[in-house]
Amino acid sequence: MLTIGTLSKKTGTKVQTIRYYEQIGLMPEPGRTEGGQRRYDNAQLDRLSFIRHSRQLGFSLDAIRELLDLSDHPNRSCHEADAIARRQLKQVDQRMARLKALRTELKRMVHECSGGRTGDCKVLEVLRDHSECLTEHEEIGA
Amino acid sequence: MLTIGTLSKKTGTKVQTIRYYEQIGLMPEPGRTEGGQRRYDNAQLDRLSFIRHSRQLGFSLDAIRELLDLSDHPNRSCHEADAIARRQLKQVDQRMARLKALRTELKRMVHECSGGRTGDCKVLEVLRDHSECLTEHEEIGA
DNA sequence: GCTTGAACCTCTAGCTGCTAGAGGATGTAT
DNA sequence: ATACATCCTCTAGCAGCTAGAGGTTCAAGC
Protein backbone atom coordinates (compact mmCIF):
# COMPACT_ATOMS: atom_id res chain seq x y z
CA MET A 1 0.00 0.00 0.00
CA LEU A 2 1.34 3.34 -1.05
CA THR A 3 0.77 6.74 0.46
CA ILE A 4 -0.05 9.58 -1.85
CA GLY A 5 3.44 10.96 -1.31
CA THR A 6 5.07 7.73 -2.41
CA LEU A 7 2.83 7.52 -5.45
CA SER A 8 3.76 11.09 -6.19
CA LYS A 9 7.47 10.28 -6.16
CA LYS A 10 7.11 7.07 -8.15
CA THR A 11 5.22 8.74 -10.96
CA GLY A 12 6.65 12.22 -10.84
CA THR A 13 3.18 13.65 -10.27
CA LYS A 14 2.59 16.30 -7.63
CA VAL A 15 0.41 15.29 -4.71
CA GLN A 16 -2.06 18.02 -5.51
CA THR A 17 -2.30 16.83 -9.07
CA ILE A 18 -3.13 13.29 -7.98
CA ARG A 19 -5.95 14.62 -5.83
CA TYR A 20 -7.05 16.74 -8.75
CA TYR A 21 -7.17 13.69 -11.03
CA GLU A 22 -9.33 11.96 -8.43
CA GLN A 23 -11.60 14.98 -8.22
CA ILE A 24 -12.26 15.02 -11.94
CA GLY A 25 -12.77 11.26 -12.00
CA LEU A 26 -9.62 10.32 -13.89
CA MET A 27 -8.27 8.40 -10.92
CA PRO A 28 -10.62 6.22 -8.85
CA GLU A 29 -11.27 6.98 -5.21
CA PRO A 30 -8.62 5.05 -3.33
CA GLY A 31 -8.98 3.23 -0.02
CA ARG A 32 -8.43 5.20 3.16
CA THR A 33 -6.84 4.56 6.52
CA GLU A 34 -8.93 4.88 9.67
CA GLY A 35 -7.68 8.42 9.94
CA GLY A 36 -8.80 9.22 6.41
CA GLN A 37 -5.49 9.15 4.51
CA ARG A 38 -5.41 7.75 0.97
CA ARG A 39 -3.71 4.41 0.30
CA TYR A 40 -2.99 3.19 -3.22
CA ASP A 41 -2.29 -0.21 -4.75
CA ASN A 42 -0.33 -1.22 -7.83
CA ALA A 43 -3.28 -1.02 -10.19
CA GLN A 44 -3.62 2.61 -9.29
CA LEU A 45 0.08 3.16 -9.73
CA ASP A 46 -0.21 1.71 -13.23
CA ARG A 47 -3.17 3.88 -14.01
CA LEU A 48 -1.42 7.03 -12.90
CA SER A 49 1.66 6.08 -14.91
CA PHE A 50 -0.54 5.66 -17.95
CA ILE A 51 -2.06 9.09 -17.39
CA ARG A 52 1.34 10.65 -16.85
CA HIS A 53 2.84 9.13 -19.91
CA SER A 54 -0.13 10.15 -22.03
CA ARG A 55 0.18 13.70 -20.76
CA GLN A 56 3.83 13.70 -21.71
CA LEU A 57 2.80 12.74 -25.21
CA GLY A 58 0.48 15.73 -25.22
CA PHE A 59 -2.89 14.03 -24.92
CA SER A 60 -5.64 16.09 -23.33
CA LEU A 61 -7.29 14.83 -20.17
CA ASP A 62 -10.41 14.13 -22.19
CA ALA A 63 -8.48 12.05 -24.67
CA ILE A 64 -6.83 10.21 -21.80
CA ARG A 65 -10.22 9.49 -20.33
CA GLU A 66 -11.18 7.80 -23.57
CA LEU A 67 -7.90 5.93 -23.81
CA LEU A 68 -8.25 4.67 -20.24
CA ASP A 69 -11.74 3.51 -20.99
CA LEU A 70 -10.52 1.60 -24.04
CA SER A 71 -7.69 0.16 -22.03
CA ASP A 72 -10.21 -1.11 -19.49
CA HIS A 73 -12.04 -3.11 -22.17
CA PRO A 74 -9.49 -5.36 -23.87
CA ASN A 75 -12.03 -6.98 -26.19
CA ARG A 76 -13.15 -3.90 -28.01
CA SER A 77 -11.69 -2.90 -31.32
CA CYS A 78 -8.63 -0.77 -30.99
CA HIS A 79 -9.84 1.34 -33.87
CA GLU A 80 -10.79 4.17 -31.54
CA ALA A 81 -7.49 4.24 -29.72
CA ASP A 82 -5.81 4.40 -33.07
CA ALA A 83 -8.05 7.29 -34.13
CA ILE A 84 -7.24 9.23 -30.96
CA ALA A 85 -3.54 8.73 -31.48
CA ARG A 86 -3.78 9.76 -35.11
CA ARG A 87 -5.70 12.88 -34.15
CA GLN A 88 -2.96 13.70 -31.67
CA LEU A 89 -0.29 13.12 -34.29
CA LYS A 90 -2.10 15.45 -36.65
CA GLN A 91 -2.26 18.14 -33.99
CA VAL A 92 1.44 17.77 -33.32
CA ASP A 93 2.15 18.09 -37.03
CA GLN A 94 0.06 21.25 -37.24
CA ARG A 95 1.73 22.77 -34.23
CA MET A 96 5.12 22.00 -35.65
CA ALA A 97 4.25 23.62 -38.95
CA ARG A 98 3.07 26.74 -37.17
CA LEU A 99 6.12 26.86 -34.96
CA LYS A 100 8.31 26.55 -38.01
CA ALA A 101 6.71 29.62 -39.59
CA LEU A 102 7.04 31.57 -36.36
CA ARG A 103 10.64 30.53 -36.03
CA THR A 104 11.43 31.85 -39.47
CA GLU A 105 9.88 35.18 -38.61
CA LEU A 106 11.59 35.43 -35.25
CA LYS A 107 14.93 34.51 -36.73
CA ARG A 108 14.59 37.20 -39.33
CA MET A 109 13.64 39.77 -36.71
CA VAL A 110 16.58 38.94 -34.50
CA HIS A 111 18.96 38.68 -37.39
CA GLU A 112 18.13 42.13 -38.65
CA CYS A 113 18.51 43.86 -35.31
CA SER A 114 21.33 46.32 -35.66
CA GLY A 115 21.70 47.04 -31.96
CA GLY A 116 20.88 50.73 -32.13
CA ARG A 117 18.02 52.80 -30.74
CA THR A 118 14.57 51.27 -30.23
CA GLY A 119 13.29 53.81 -32.74
CA ASP A 120 15.14 51.95 -35.48
CA CYS A 121 14.72 48.49 -33.99
CA LYS A 122 13.81 45.92 -36.57
CA VAL A 123 12.25 43.70 -33.93
CA LEU A 124 9.77 46.36 -32.93
CA GLU A 125 9.25 47.41 -36.52
CA VAL A 126 8.24 43.93 -37.58
CA LEU A 127 5.83 43.71 -34.67
CA ARG A 128 4.34 47.04 -35.66
CA ASP A 129 3.75 46.07 -39.24
CA HIS A 130 2.45 42.67 -40.12
CA SER A 131 2.85 43.35 -43.81
CA GLU A 132 6.58 42.95 -43.41
CA CYS A 133 6.10 39.31 -42.58
CA LEU A 134 7.21 36.77 -45.11
CA THR A 135 5.00 34.03 -43.79
CA GLU A 136 1.45 33.85 -42.64
CA HIS A 137 0.88 32.95 -39.04
CA GLU A 138 -2.70 33.58 -38.18
CA GLU A 139 -3.12 31.18 -35.35
CA ILE A 140 -2.33 31.94 -31.77
CA GLY A 141 -1.21 29.53 -29.13
CA ALA A 142 1.20 27.59 -31.28
CA MET B 1 -13.25 57.41 -34.32
CA LEU B 2 -13.79 53.66 -34.16
CA THR B 3 -16.28 51.67 -32.15
CA ILE B 4 -15.03 48.62 -30.33
CA GLY B 5 -16.75 46.43 -32.89
CA THR B 6 -14.95 48.08 -35.79
CA LEU B 7 -11.65 47.79 -33.97
CA SER B 8 -12.45 44.17 -33.36
CA LYS B 9 -12.99 43.50 -37.06
CA LYS B 10 -9.96 45.49 -38.18
CA THR B 11 -7.60 43.62 -35.89
CA GLY B 12 -9.27 40.24 -35.73
CA THR B 13 -9.54 40.54 -31.96
CA LYS B 14 -12.74 39.63 -30.16
CA VAL B 15 -14.56 42.49 -28.47
CA GLN B 16 -14.30 40.78 -25.12
CA THR B 17 -10.59 40.37 -25.59
CA ILE B 18 -10.14 44.08 -26.27
CA ARG B 19 -11.94 44.90 -23.04
CA TYR B 20 -9.81 42.31 -21.29
CA TYR B 21 -6.63 43.97 -22.58
CA GLU B 22 -7.90 47.26 -21.23
CA GLN B 23 -8.67 45.67 -17.89
CA ILE B 24 -5.15 44.32 -17.48
CA GLY B 25 -3.65 47.61 -18.60
CA LEU B 26 -2.29 46.47 -21.96
CA MET B 27 -4.58 48.82 -23.82
CA PRO B 28 -5.17 52.36 -22.51
CA GLU B 29 -8.61 53.46 -21.41
CA PRO B 30 -10.22 54.90 -24.53
CA GLY B 31 -12.47 57.92 -24.80
CA ARG B 32 -16.19 57.41 -24.29
CA THR B 33 -19.35 58.76 -25.86
CA GLU B 34 -21.86 60.56 -23.66
CA GLY B 35 -23.68 57.29 -23.35
CA GLY B 36 -20.53 55.54 -22.15
CA GLN B 37 -19.46 53.61 -25.24
CA ARG B 38 -15.78 53.27 -26.09
CA ARG B 39 -14.33 55.16 -29.05
CA TYR B 40 -10.85 54.46 -30.39
CA ASP B 41 -8.41 56.40 -32.55
CA ASN B 42 -5.69 55.23 -34.92
CA ALA B 43 -2.97 55.19 -32.29
CA GLN B 44 -5.01 52.65 -30.39
CA LEU B 45 -5.61 50.65 -33.54
CA ASP B 46 -1.85 50.50 -34.07
CA ARG B 47 -1.27 49.46 -30.53
CA LEU B 48 -3.79 46.64 -30.72
CA SER B 49 -2.31 45.49 -34.02
CA PHE B 50 1.09 45.38 -32.36
CA ILE B 51 -0.31 43.30 -29.51
CA ARG B 52 -2.12 41.00 -31.90
CA HIS B 53 0.88 40.44 -34.04
CA SER B 54 3.08 39.79 -31.06
CA ARG B 55 0.59 37.24 -29.75
CA GLN B 56 0.63 35.52 -33.13
CA LEU B 57 4.37 35.23 -32.79
CA GLY B 58 3.85 33.59 -29.41
CA PHE B 59 4.94 36.37 -27.07
CA SER B 60 3.37 36.31 -23.62
CA LEU B 61 1.30 39.27 -22.50
CA ASP B 62 4.10 40.16 -20.10
CA ALA B 63 6.66 40.17 -22.86
CA ILE B 64 4.34 42.29 -24.97
CA ARG B 65 4.01 44.74 -22.13
CA GLU B 66 7.79 45.16 -22.18
CA LEU B 67 7.93 45.42 -25.95
CA LEU B 68 5.22 48.07 -25.96
CA ASP B 69 7.10 50.00 -23.33
CA LEU B 70 10.27 49.88 -25.43
CA SER B 71 8.33 50.88 -28.48
CA ASP B 72 7.03 53.93 -26.60
CA HIS B 73 10.60 55.12 -25.94
CA PRO B 74 12.39 55.35 -29.29
CA ASN B 75 15.64 56.65 -27.83
CA ARG B 76 16.44 53.72 -25.62
CA SER B 77 18.76 50.98 -26.72
CA CYS B 78 16.99 48.22 -28.56
CA HIS B 79 19.12 45.71 -26.75
CA GLU B 80 16.22 44.67 -24.54
CA ALA B 81 13.80 44.18 -27.38
CA ASP B 82 16.38 42.02 -29.04
CA ALA B 83 16.83 40.00 -25.86
CA ILE B 84 13.09 39.41 -25.57
CA ALA B 85 12.91 38.25 -29.16
CA ARG B 86 15.89 35.96 -28.71
CA ARG B 87 14.33 34.48 -25.61
CA GLN B 88 11.18 33.82 -27.56
CA LEU B 89 13.14 32.24 -30.37
CA LYS B 90 14.85 29.96 -27.90
CA GLN B 91 11.51 28.89 -26.47
CA VAL B 92 10.20 28.14 -29.93
CA ASP B 93 13.28 26.05 -30.64
CA GLN B 94 12.79 24.10 -27.44
CA ARG B 95 9.15 23.51 -28.14
CA MET B 96 9.96 22.31 -31.62
CA ALA B 97 12.55 19.88 -30.33
CA ARG B 98 10.08 18.47 -27.85
CA LEU B 99 7.36 18.18 -30.44
CA LYS B 100 9.73 16.37 -32.71
CA ALA B 101 10.42 13.72 -30.08
CA LEU B 102 6.72 13.34 -29.37
CA ARG B 103 6.00 13.06 -33.05
CA THR B 104 8.46 10.22 -33.42
CA GLU B 105 6.82 8.36 -30.57
CA LEU B 106 3.29 8.96 -31.81
CA LYS B 107 4.22 7.91 -35.30
CA ARG B 108 5.66 4.71 -34.03
CA MET B 109 2.57 4.02 -31.93
CA VAL B 110 0.21 4.59 -34.81
CA HIS B 111 2.37 2.71 -37.25
CA GLU B 112 2.44 -0.40 -35.12
CA CYS B 113 -1.29 -0.55 -34.56
CA SER B 114 -2.49 -3.77 -36.10
CA GLY B 115 -6.18 -2.91 -35.94
CA GLY B 116 -7.17 -5.75 -33.64
CA ARG B 117 -8.53 -5.86 -30.11
CA THR B 118 -7.64 -3.13 -27.61
CA GLY B 119 -6.04 -5.86 -25.52
CA ASP B 120 -3.30 -6.15 -28.14
CA CYS B 121 -3.29 -2.49 -29.12
CA LYS B 122 0.18 -1.10 -29.53
CA VAL B 123 -1.04 2.41 -28.89
CA LEU B 124 -2.35 1.51 -25.47
CA GLU B 125 0.62 -0.70 -24.77
CA VAL B 126 3.07 2.10 -25.36
CA LEU B 127 1.08 4.38 -23.10
CA ARG B 128 1.10 1.71 -20.42
CA ASP B 129 4.81 1.20 -20.50
CA HIS B 130 7.14 4.14 -20.79
CA SER B 131 10.15 1.84 -21.06
CA GLU B 132 9.09 1.03 -24.61
CA CYS B 133 9.77 4.58 -25.64
CA LEU B 134 12.74 5.23 -27.84
CA THR B 135 13.02 8.86 -26.93
CA GLU B 136 12.85 10.76 -23.71
CA HIS B 137 10.04 13.23 -23.36
CA GLU B 138 9.86 14.37 -19.81
CA GLU B 139 8.28 17.73 -20.27
CA ILE B 140 4.58 18.32 -20.46
CA GLY B 141 2.82 21.04 -22.32
CA ALA B 142 4.84 20.90 -25.49
C1' DG C 1 -39.94 62.34 -33.77
C1' DC C 2 -40.30 57.45 -33.10
C1' DT C 3 -39.26 52.84 -33.48
C1' DT C 4 -36.42 49.04 -34.24
C1' DG C 5 -32.61 46.19 -33.60
C1' DA C 6 -27.74 45.69 -33.79
C1' DA C 7 -24.21 46.78 -31.07
C1' DC C 8 -22.77 48.35 -26.86
C1' DC C 9 -22.32 48.25 -21.47
C1' DT C 10 -20.97 45.78 -16.76
C1' DC C 11 -20.58 41.85 -14.15
C1' DT C 12 -19.86 37.16 -13.10
C1' DA C 13 -18.50 32.67 -14.08
C1' DG C 14 -16.25 29.27 -16.92
C1' DC C 15 -12.48 26.92 -19.73
C1' DT C 16 -7.62 23.68 -19.25
C1' DG C 17 -4.57 21.69 -16.19
C1' DC C 18 -2.86 22.35 -12.69
C1' DT C 19 -0.47 24.91 -8.33
C1' DA C 20 -0.19 27.22 -3.85
C1' DG C 21 -1.56 28.29 0.65
C1' DA C 22 -4.30 28.32 5.04
C1' DG C 23 -5.38 25.87 8.91
C1' DG C 24 -5.73 21.72 10.94
C1' DA C 25 -5.44 16.26 11.62
C1' DT C 26 -2.70 11.96 11.22
C1' DG C 27 1.13 8.71 11.19
C1' DT C 28 5.52 7.13 12.57
C1' DA C 29 9.95 7.21 14.72
C1' DT C 30 12.31 7.92 18.85
C1' DA D 1 5.17 11.54 24.98
C1' DT D 2 6.72 14.30 21.65
C1' DA D 3 8.20 15.93 17.47
C1' DC D 4 7.54 16.73 12.84
C1' DA D 5 6.84 15.07 8.23
C1' DT D 6 3.13 14.09 5.78
C1' DC D 7 -1.53 14.03 5.20
C1' DC D 8 -6.41 16.21 4.99
C1' DT D 9 -10.06 19.76 2.96
C1' DC D 10 -11.09 23.99 1.12
C1' DT D 11 -10.47 28.11 -1.42
C1' DA D 12 -8.26 30.90 -4.62
C1' DG D 13 -5.00 31.75 -8.19
C1' DC D 14 -2.25 31.29 -12.78
C1' DA D 15 -2.61 32.41 -18.44
C1' DG D 16 -5.44 34.18 -21.75
C1' DC D 17 -9.19 34.46 -22.88
C1' DT D 18 -14.59 33.24 -23.81
C1' DA D 19 -19.52 33.12 -22.90
C1' DG D 20 -23.72 34.57 -21.00
C1' DA D 21 -27.16 37.37 -18.31
C1' DG D 22 -29.51 41.40 -18.08
C1' DG D 23 -29.71 45.95 -19.33
C1' DT D 24 -28.52 50.53 -22.23
C1' DT D 25 -27.20 53.25 -26.36
C1' DC D 26 -26.68 54.43 -31.11
C1' DA D 27 -27.87 55.08 -35.90
C1' DA D 28 -30.82 54.23 -39.61
C1' DG D 29 -35.31 54.10 -41.67
C1' DC D 30 -39.97 55.76 -41.78
Side-chain angles (χ1 to χ4, degrees), chain B residues 78-97:
Chain B
C78 84
H79 180 74
E80 273 181 74
D82 189 48
I84 294 169
R86 274 177 205 279
R87 212 195 303 145
Q88 179 64 15
L89 180 59
K90 203 170 151 193
Q91 269 177 30
V92 168
D93 278 345
Q94 283 171 354
R95 265 194 276 172
M96 277 191 61

PDB file of all heavy atoms in Angstrom, chain B residues 78-97:
ATOM      1  N   CYS B  78      17.910  49.289 -28.197  1.00  0.00           N
ATOM      2  CA  CYS B  78      16.988  48.224 -28.558  1.00  0.00           C
ATOM      3  C   CYS B  78      17.503  46.869 -28.100  1.00  0.00           C
ATOM      4  O   CYS B  78      16.979  45.829 -28.477  1.00  0.00           O
ATOM      5  CB  CYS B  78      16.699  48.231 -30.062  1.00  0.00           C
ATOM      6  SG  CYS B  78      17.897  47.391 -31.067  1.00  0.00           S
ATOM      7  N   HIS B  79      18.522  46.917 -27.280  1.00  0.00           N
ATOM      8  CA  HIS B  79      19.124  45.705 -26.746  1.00  0.00           C
ATOM      9  C   HIS B  79      18.086  44.800 -26.073  1.00  0.00           C
ATOM     10  O   HIS B  79      18.063  43.591 -26.272  1.00  0.00           O
ATOM     11  CB  HIS B  79      20.213  46.092 -25.747  1.00  0.00           C
ATOM     12  CG  HIS B  79      20.900  44.913 -25.142  1.00  0.00           C
ATOM     13  ND1 HIS B  79      21.805  44.146 -25.833  1.00  0.00           N
ATOM     14  CD2 HIS B  79      20.781  44.341 -23.927  1.00  0.00           C
ATOM     15  CE1 HIS B  79      22.226  43.159 -25.062  1.00  0.00           C
ATOM     16  NE2 HIS B  79      21.616  43.259 -23.905  1.00  0.00           N
ATOM     17  N   GLU B  80      17.232  45.440 -25.279  1.00  0.00           N
ATOM     18  CA  GLU B  80      16.221  44.675 -24.542  1.00  0.00           C
ATOM     19  C   GLU B  80      15.220  44.000 -25.456  1.00  0.00           C
ATOM     20  O   GLU B  80      14.847  42.847 -25.239  1.00  0.00           O
ATOM     21  CB  GLU B  80      15.464  45.601 -23.583  1.00  0.00           C
ATOM     22  CG  GLU B  80      16.121  45.745 -22.241  1.00  0.00           C
ATOM     23  CD  GLU B  80      15.293  46.650 -21.347  1.00  0.00           C
ATOM     24  OE1 GLU B  80      14.241  46.195 -20.878  1.00  0.00           O
ATOM     25  OE2 GLU B  80      15.687  47.817 -21.144  1.00  0.00           O
ATOM     26  N   ALA B  81      14.768  44.746 -26.441  1.00  0.00           N
ATOM     27  CA  ALA B  81      13.804  44.183 -27.383  1.00  0.00           C
ATOM     28  C   ALA B  81      14.412  42.968 -28.066  1.00  0.00           C
ATOM     29  O   ALA B  81      13.767  41.923 -28.236  1.00  0.00           O
ATOM     30  CB  ALA B  81      13.399  45.220 -28.421  1.00  0.00           C
ATOM     31  N   ASP B  82      15.660  43.111 -28.409  1.00  0.00           N
ATOM     32  CA  ASP B  82      16.378  42.025 -29.043  1.00  0.00           C
ATOM     33  C   ASP B  82      16.450  40.811 -28.113  1.00  0.00           C
ATOM     34  O   ASP B  82      16.220  39.679 -28.534  1.00  0.00           O
ATOM     35  CB  ASP B  82      17.787  42.513 -29.385  1.00  0.00           C
ATOM     36  CG  ASP B  82      18.531  41.511 -30.237  1.00  0.00           C
ATOM     37  OD1 ASP B  82      17.944  41.038 -31.222  1.00  0.00           O
ATOM     38  OD2 ASP B  82      19.679  41.193 -29.890  1.00  0.00           O
ATOM     39  N   ALA B  83      16.729  41.085 -26.835  1.00  0.00           N
ATOM     40  CA  ALA B  83      16.826  39.996 -25.861  1.00  0.00           C
ATOM     41  C   ALA B  83      15.497  39.261 -25.726  1.00  0.00           C
ATOM     42  O   ALA B  83      15.455  38.027 -25.666  1.00  0.00           O
ATOM     43  CB  ALA B  83      17.273  40.548 -24.512  1.00  0.00           C
ATOM     44  N   ILE B  84      14.418  40.022 -25.693  1.00  0.00           N
ATOM     45  CA  ILE B  84      13.092  39.406 -25.572  1.00  0.00           C
ATOM     46  C   ILE B  84      12.809  38.513 -26.780  1.00  0.00           C
ATOM     47  O   ILE B  84      12.327  37.392 -26.648  1.00  0.00           O
ATOM     48  CB  ILE B  84      12.001  40.493 -25.442  1.00  0.00           C
ATOM     49  CG1 ILE B  84      12.178  41.260 -24.128  1.00  0.00           C
ATOM     50  CG2 ILE B  84      10.612  39.872 -25.495  1.00  0.00           C
ATOM     51  CD1 ILE B  84      11.329  42.517 -24.019  1.00  0.00           C
ATOM     52  N   ALA B  85      13.143  39.026 -27.945  1.00  0.00           N
ATOM     53  CA  ALA B  85      12.905  38.253 -29.165  1.00  0.00           C
ATOM     54  C   ALA B  85      13.763  36.987 -29.191  1.00  0.00           C
ATOM     55  O   ALA B  85      13.304  35.910 -29.580  1.00  0.00           O
ATOM     56  CB  ALA B  85      13.182  39.100 -30.391  1.00  0.00           C
ATOM     57  N   ARG B  86      14.996  37.131 -28.741  1.00  0.00           N
ATOM     58  CA  ARG B  86      15.890  35.962 -28.712  1.00  0.00           C
ATOM     59  C   ARG B  86      15.383  34.905 -27.730  1.00  0.00           C
ATOM     60  O   ARG B  86      15.464  33.702 -27.985  1.00  0.00           O
ATOM     61  CB  ARG B  86      17.299  36.383 -28.297  1.00  0.00           C
ATOM     62  CG  ARG B  86      18.144  36.859 -29.473  1.00  0.00           C
ATOM     63  CD  ARG B  86      19.520  37.341 -29.029  1.00  0.00           C
ATOM     64  NE  ARG B  86      20.058  38.285 -29.996  1.00  0.00           N
ATOM     65  CZ  ARG B  86      20.651  37.900 -31.138  1.00  0.00           C
ATOM     66  NH1 ARG B  86      20.800  36.634 -31.412  1.00  0.00           N
ATOM     67  NH2 ARG B  86      21.101  38.810 -31.981  1.00  0.00           N
ATOM     68  N   ARG B  87      14.889  35.390 -26.613  1.00  0.00           N
ATOM     69  CA  ARG B  87      14.328  34.485 -25.605  1.00  0.00           C
ATOM     70  C   ARG B  87      13.173  33.702 -26.220  1.00  0.00           C
ATOM     71  O   ARG B  87      13.055  32.491 -26.055  1.00  0.00           O
ATOM     72  CB  ARG B  87      13.828  35.315 -24.411  1.00  0.00           C
ATOM     73  CG  ARG B  87      13.929  34.623 -23.078  1.00  0.00           C
ATOM     74  CD  ARG B  87      13.083  35.338 -22.029  1.00  0.00           C
ATOM     75  NE  ARG B  87      13.428  36.739 -21.854  1.00  0.00           N
ATOM     76  CZ  ARG B  87      12.547  37.695 -21.582  1.00  0.00           C
ATOM     77  NH1 ARG B  87      11.256  37.408 -21.472  1.00  0.00           N
ATOM     78  NH2 ARG B  87      12.931  38.938 -21.436  1.00  0.00           N
ATOM     79  N   GLN B  88      12.339  34.428 -26.927  1.00  0.00           N
ATOM     80  CA  GLN B  88      11.182  33.822 -27.564  1.00  0.00           C
ATOM     81  C   GLN B  88      11.612  32.787 -28.605  1.00  0.00           C
ATOM     82  O   GLN B  88      11.054  31.697 -28.687  1.00  0.00           O
ATOM     83  CB  GLN B  88      10.331  34.920 -28.211  1.00  0.00           C
ATOM     84  CG  GLN B  88       9.111  34.442 -28.934  1.00  0.00           C
ATOM     85  CD  GLN B  88       8.105  33.793 -28.006  1.00  0.00           C
ATOM     86  OE1 GLN B  88       8.192  33.948 -26.796  1.00  0.00           O
ATOM     87  NE2 GLN B  88       7.179  33.043 -28.562  1.00  0.00           N
ATOM     88  N   LEU B  89      12.629  33.141 -29.345  1.00  0.00           N
ATOM     89  CA  LEU B  89      13.143  32.236 -30.373  1.00  0.00           C
ATOM     90  C   LEU B  89      13.643  30.945 -29.733  1.00  0.00           C
ATOM     91  O   LEU B  89      13.389  29.844 -30.222  1.00  0.00           O
ATOM     92  CB  LEU B  89      14.281  32.922 -31.140  1.00  0.00           C
ATOM     93  CG  LEU B  89      14.946  32.117 -32.256  1.00  0.00           C
ATOM     94  CD1 LEU B  89      13.927  31.709 -33.309  1.00  0.00           C
ATOM     95  CD2 LEU B  89      16.068  32.916 -32.913  1.00  0.00           C
ATOM     96  N   LYS B  90      14.324  31.117 -28.613  1.00  0.00           N
ATOM     97  CA  LYS B  90      14.848  29.956 -27.896  1.00  0.00           C
ATOM     98  C   LYS B  90      13.707  29.049 -27.444  1.00  0.00           C
ATOM     99  O   LYS B  90      13.775  27.822 -27.583  1.00  0.00           O
ATOM    100  CB  LYS B  90      15.647  30.445 -26.683  1.00  0.00           C
ATOM    101  CG  LYS B  90      16.673  29.456 -26.188  1.00  0.00           C
ATOM    102  CD  LYS B  90      17.569  30.117 -25.149  1.00  0.00           C
ATOM    103  CE  LYS B  90      18.093  29.108 -24.149  1.00  0.00           C
ATOM    104  NZ  LYS B  90      18.704  29.786 -22.983  1.00  0.00           N
ATOM    105  N   GLN B  91      12.662  29.662 -26.915  1.00  0.00           N
ATOM    106  CA  GLN B  91      11.510  28.887 -26.470  1.00  0.00           C
ATOM    107  C   GLN B  91      10.882  28.118 -27.624  1.00  0.00           C
ATOM    108  O   GLN B  91      10.503  26.956 -27.476  1.00  0.00           O
ATOM    109  CB  GLN B  91      10.453  29.814 -25.864  1.00  0.00           C
ATOM    110  CG  GLN B  91      10.602  30.012 -24.373  1.00  0.00           C
ATOM    111  CD  GLN B  91       9.572  31.000 -23.833  1.00  0.00           C
ATOM    112  OE1 GLN B  91       8.479  31.118 -24.371  1.00  0.00           O
ATOM    113  NE2 GLN B  91       9.929  31.707 -22.783  1.00  0.00           N
ATOM    114  N   VAL B  92      10.778  28.794 -28.753  1.00  0.00           N
ATOM    115  CA  VAL B  92      10.204  28.138 -29.932  1.00  0.00           C
ATOM    116  C   VAL B  92      11.063  26.949 -30.344  1.00  0.00           C
ATOM    117  O   VAL B  92      10.556  25.870 -30.634  1.00  0.00           O
ATOM    118  CB  VAL B  92      10.051  29.143 -31.098  1.00  0.00           C
ATOM    119  CG1 VAL B  92       9.744  28.419 -32.401  1.00  0.00           C
ATOM    120  CG2 VAL B  92       8.950  30.142 -30.796  1.00  0.00           C
ATOM    121  N   ASP B  93      12.358  27.138 -30.304  1.00  0.00           N
ATOM    122  CA  ASP B  93      13.277  26.048 -30.641  1.00  0.00           C
ATOM    123  C   ASP B  93      13.088  24.863 -29.699  1.00  0.00           C
ATOM    124  O   ASP B  93      13.047  23.713 -30.132  1.00  0.00           O
ATOM    125  CB  ASP B  93      14.722  26.546 -30.565  1.00  0.00           C
ATOM    126  CG  ASP B  93      15.121  27.277 -31.838  1.00  0.00           C
ATOM    127  OD1 ASP B  93      14.400  27.142 -32.839  1.00  0.00           O
ATOM    128  OD2 ASP B  93      16.140  27.993 -31.828  1.00  0.00           O
ATOM    129  N   GLN B  94      12.971  25.173 -28.414  1.00  0.00           N
ATOM    130  CA  GLN B  94      12.792  24.102 -27.439  1.00  0.00           C
ATOM    131  C   GLN B  94      11.481  23.358 -27.669  1.00  0.00           C
ATOM    132  O   GLN B  94      11.436  22.126 -27.631  1.00  0.00           O
ATOM    133  CB  GLN B  94      12.818  24.674 -26.021  1.00  0.00           C
ATOM    134  CG  GLN B  94      14.234  24.997 -25.548  1.00  0.00           C
ATOM    135  CD  GLN B  94      14.238  25.773 -24.241  1.00  0.00           C
ATOM    136  OE1 GLN B  94      13.184  26.160 -23.744  1.00  0.00           O
ATOM    137  NE2 GLN B  94      15.422  25.991 -23.682  1.00  0.00           N
ATOM    138  N   ARG B  95      10.442  24.148 -27.911  1.00  0.00           N
ATOM    139  CA  ARG B  95       9.148  23.509 -28.139  1.00  0.00           C
ATOM    140  C   ARG B  95       9.183  22.628 -29.371  1.00  0.00           C
ATOM    141  O   ARG B  95       8.603  21.547 -29.388  1.00  0.00           O
ATOM    142  CB  ARG B  95       8.056  24.571 -28.281  1.00  0.00           C
ATOM    143  CG  ARG B  95       7.349  24.821 -26.964  1.00  0.00           C
ATOM    144  CD  ARG B  95       6.078  25.598 -27.196  1.00  0.00           C
ATOM    145  NE  ARG B  95       6.344  27.033 -27.263  1.00  0.00           N
ATOM    146  CZ  ARG B  95       5.427  27.933 -27.606  1.00  0.00           C
ATOM    147  NH1 ARG B  95       4.211  27.543 -27.934  1.00  0.00           N
ATOM    148  NH2 ARG B  95       5.737  29.202 -27.618  1.00  0.00           N
ATOM    149  N   MET B  96       9.875  23.098 -30.395  1.00  0.00           N
ATOM    150  CA  MET B  96       9.960  22.312 -31.620  1.00  0.00           C
ATOM    151  C   MET B  96      10.701  21.011 -31.380  1.00  0.00           C
ATOM    152  O   MET B  96      10.316  19.955 -31.879  1.00  0.00           O
ATOM    153  CB  MET B  96      10.627  23.112 -32.731  1.00  0.00           C
ATOM    154  CG  MET B  96       9.642  24.015 -33.425  1.00  0.00           C
ATOM    155  SD  MET B  96      10.263  24.757 -34.930  1.00  0.00           S
ATOM    156  CE  MET B  96      10.596  23.335 -35.940  1.00  0.00           C
ATOM    157  N   ALA B  97      11.767  21.082 -30.618  1.00  0.00           N
ATOM    158  CA  ALA B  97      12.549  19.879 -30.327  1.00  0.00           C
ATOM    159  C   ALA B  97      11.693  18.866 -29.575  1.00  0.00           C
ATOM    160  O   ALA B  97      11.698  17.664 -29.885  1.00  0.00           O
ATOM    161  CB  ALA B  97      13.779  20.255 -29.500  1.00  0.00           C
TER     162      ALA B  97
END
